[in-house]
Amino acid sequence: MSGKGQPKTAFVFAGGGSLGAIQVGMLHSLAKHGVAADMACGSSVGAVNAAYYAGDPTIEGIRKLEAIWRGLRRQDVFPISLGALFGFLWRRDFLVTSDGLRRLIDTHLPYRNLEEAKIPLFVVATDIISAETVVLSKGPACDAILASAAIPAAFAPVQMETLFLADGAISSNTPVRVAVANGAERLIILPTGYACARQTPPAGAVANALHALTLLIARQLITELTHLEPHIDYYVLPPLCPLDCSPYDFSRTGELIERAIAGTDEWIDGGGLTLPRTHAQLGLHKHKHKH
């Protein structure tokens, strides 16, 4: 963490479904190299990782988060069944209940209210009526995280007082400006990346929606960084590339964590944290299919 007189450092977590496992590997490498944050800001699945990190910002805490991710299955997060599909078609306006994600949060998050985290935590959601960004830093942690991760059509919006809140991706997927507004002058950004090496879209409605969101995230992040004030230093950890994994596929989380640890180790050892305001690796691209 920052010492006296040092600029405040924020870890900024993007969204990206199952690709959130990449951020866990990044956290492992950062902790191993002695890099810590004074605050955490997250949106969508990034809110989940930010919340766990803020509750125990140590290598031991990160290893616990790794264990959770390595044990995740799609049904734990997206419990879609035939009954749920009929419910979507005939009775309600969302496809999946948030019960699975709520159980994960209630079981593993070591605090109940956002203000009880060990470092300040800012969870970003979207007012589904006005499309305004809503920043949550107090109150029930589980509800805030569920709101931030409520993908439209897949999950129902979460009502908090008079607001109906949904996925932070709609308004500010990588909450760069939220971190700056709360006093951060040094940003370490943990992107999830996107499936740049796929040759076809992923199968299924939710998978396609998540894939589209990851593309939106990449564009938003580049725009937000380009317009940051000159005195703000930021460092973008390298997303995995090439990547062919759907953000709806939870079968490869262990592989993503290991690749992210190795990639972030290489980036830090190569001087990545001495080169602020560099984000060329975020450019949207695809890989040609090799026959």
Side-chain angles (χ1 to χ4, degrees), residues 119-218:
I119 61 173
L121 169 64
F122 302 94
V123 172
V124 178
T126 302
D127 179 343
I128 201 66
I129 305 299
S130 68
E132 292 181 348
T133 297
V134 176
V135 181
L136 303 167
S137 59
K138 295 181 180 179
C142 187
D143 288 347
I145 296 166
L146 290 176
S148 184
I151 303 162
F155 294 104
V158 175
Q159 185 173 0
M160 297 186 72
E161 297 181 351
T162 61
L163 299 177
F164 290 87
L165 302 180
D167 199 310
I170 301 168
S171 60
S172 179
N173 198 281
T174 309
V176 168
R177 292 202 166 274
V178 172
V180 173
N182 285 282
E185 295 179 297
R186 179 175 181 255
L187 312 179
I188 296 179
I189 297 159
L190 291 78
T192 56
Y194 62 96
C196 55
R198 287 191 69 93
Q199 301 304 311
T200 59
V206 177
N208 267 286
L210 279 168
H211 177 67
L213 279 175
T214 61
L215 299 177
L216 172 65
I217 294 162

Side-chain angles (χ1 to χ4, degrees), residues 258-272:
E258 295 303 327
R259 283 184 64 189
I261 293 172
T264 308
D265 282 349
E266 182 179 355
W267 180 80
I268 293 174
D269 293 340

